[in-house]
Amino acid sequence: MTTEHAAGLTRRAGLASLAALLAAPLAARAQGHWPDKPIRLVVTFPPGGSSDAVVRLLTPRLNEKLGQQVVVDNRPGAGGNVGLTLVAKGPADGYTLGVGAAGALSANSSLYAQMPFDPLKDLKPVGMLAAIPFVLVGHPSVPARNLRDLIALARSKPGGLSVGHGGNGTAMHLATALFEQMAEAKVVGVPYRGSGPAAIDAIAGQVPLAMVDLPAALQQIRAGKLVAFGVTSPQRLPSLPDVPTLAEAGLPGYDATGWFGVVAPAATPTAIVTQLNEAINFALRDPQNQAAMRAQGVEPAPDTPQAFERYIQSETRKWGQVIRTAQIKLD
C-alpha cells in the first residue's frame, strides 16, 4: 500500500467518524421525539354519555395537532377512581393520560374512606376540557315559581321535598347538598343512574324536583313540562337567558358547576404536558367544536396546566367542606 493510498484511507475513516459523531445527536433526538406512537386516553365515563361524546369530538383535532392517534379507552367505575388509578400508576411518558371529572379529581378524596391514589400528588393536571352547568328544575305542580318561594316551601316542610339527582357522589349530588346547606332547608336527595332518569321522573311527577345537567332538561323547560328555578353556574346560560343563576335568584355565592379535564401521571415531563395542553386548547378553540359542545349544554374551558391545578385544589377544599357538613360517605 502506498503512503498516498494509506493517507486517503485515513482521511475517509476520519470523515466517517465525524459523520457518525454528528449523526448521533440527531438519532438521539429522533428517538426522544414525543409523540412517536399512539396515545392512550383513559376516559372515566361510559361510552355514549355527553362527556364521552365531547372527548371523541375533540380527538380529531388532537390527532391533527399531535401527529399521532389519540385512542379513547373507556374505564368507568367507582366515581372515576377505576380509570384514574390506571393513569396514576401508569408510565409517566406522555402515552397514558386520563380524563377525570370533578368527583374523581376533587371530591372522592373526601367521599371515600380509602383512595387508591392521591389526586393532588399522583396526577399532574394537563388542562381543563369543559364546564357543565346544572339546572334545578321542578314539576309544574310544585307550588313555587321562583327560587325564593321554593326555599320558603322547603323550610316550611323539612324533609317534605325530594330532589332527584344523577347518583350518589356525583357533582349533581353535591350541588344538591350545597343547595340544602346554603338554603338552610332540609330536602331528601334521590339518587338516579344519571341525569336522564332523574329528569324523566321529574317530568312525570314521581319526584317534585331534580338537579340535572342541561341536555337532560333543556327541551322540557322550553316546552313548559319542567319549571327551571335556576342554573348552578356563576353566569346565566345563552341557551336559557331568562333563567337566573341560583346565586342571583336567592343564594348569593352559589356555584356548583361540573367540569372535567385531562391529567397525566405525576412524573410526566413538563415539556410533554405543555405540548399536550397546546393540543387540547387547539381542539377546544375550534369554532365547530365549540358550537357542538354548547349544543350539548357543555361550555369549552381552555386554560393552562397551572390554572387547572389551582382550580382542582380550590374545588377539593370547597367540596371537602360540603361533604363533611352533609356527612356524605361512599364505600
Side-chain angles (χ1 to χ4, degrees), residues 196-288:
I200 288 171
D201 266 14
I203 294 166
Q206 298 299 314
V207 287
L209 303 168
M211 184 75 76
V212 294
D213 63 28
L214 193 59
L218 181 59
Q219 297 307 319
Q220 307 306 326
I221 293 170
R222 289 173 173 170
K225 295 181 179 180
L226 286 173
V227 176
F229 292 101
V231 295
T232 65
S233 52
Q235 295 85 30
R236 293 194 184 200
L237 304 178
S239 53
L240 288 174
D242 296 329
V243 176
T245 67
L246 293 183
E248 67 179 306
L251 295 177
Y254 185 97
D255 177 10
T257 304
W259 51 267
F260 58 96
V262 177
V263 292
T268 303
T270 300
I272 290 178
V273 170
T274 299
Q275 192 172 339
L276 280 166
N277 179 264
E278 291 172 355
I280 290 167
N281 290 342
F282 172 76
L284 287 173
R285 291 186 173 116
D286 178 87
Q288 290 185 334

Side-chain angles (χ1 to χ4, degrees), residues 289-311:
N289 284 349
Q290 290 190 346
M293 290 172 69
R294 287 177 174 134
Q296 296 183 43
V298 177
E299 186 64 26
D303 65 0
T304 65
Q306 296 78 18
F308 189 31
E309 181 175 22
R310 290 192 297 270
Y311 187 67

Side-chain angles (χ1 to χ4, degrees), residues 113-160:
Q114 291 186 329
M115 284 282 288
F117 65 95
D118 185 330
L120 298 179
K121 294 181 180 178
D122 298 333
L123 295 169
K124 179 175 284 189
V126 176
M128 182 93 86
L129 289 178
I132 309 174
F134 306 125
V135 57
L136 177 61
V137 296
H139 188 270
S141 64
V142 175
R145 284 296 174 271
N146 58 59
L147 186 66
R148 286 185 172 83
D149 288 347
L150 181 65
I151 291 173
L153 178 64
R155 287 174 177 171
S156 70
K157 301 169 61 176

Side-chain angles (χ1 to χ4, degrees), residues 31-86:
Q31 290 175 358
H33 172 74
W34 183 93
D36 61 5
K37 62 180 181 180
I39 298 166
R40 179 192 187 195
L41 186 58
V42 177
V43 175
T44 58
F45 319 106
S50 59
S51 300
D52 175 72
V54 167
V55 173
R56 295 179 185 276
L57 173 72
L58 298 175
T59 51
R61 284 296 197 183
L62 293 176
N63 297 344
E64 175 186 340
K65 187 69 171 177
L66 295 170
Q68 288 289 338
Q69 185 179 11
V70 175
V71 180
V72 174
D73 181 5
N74 295 92
R75 297 295 183 101
N81 284 355
V82 170
L84 290 188
T85 298
L86 293 176

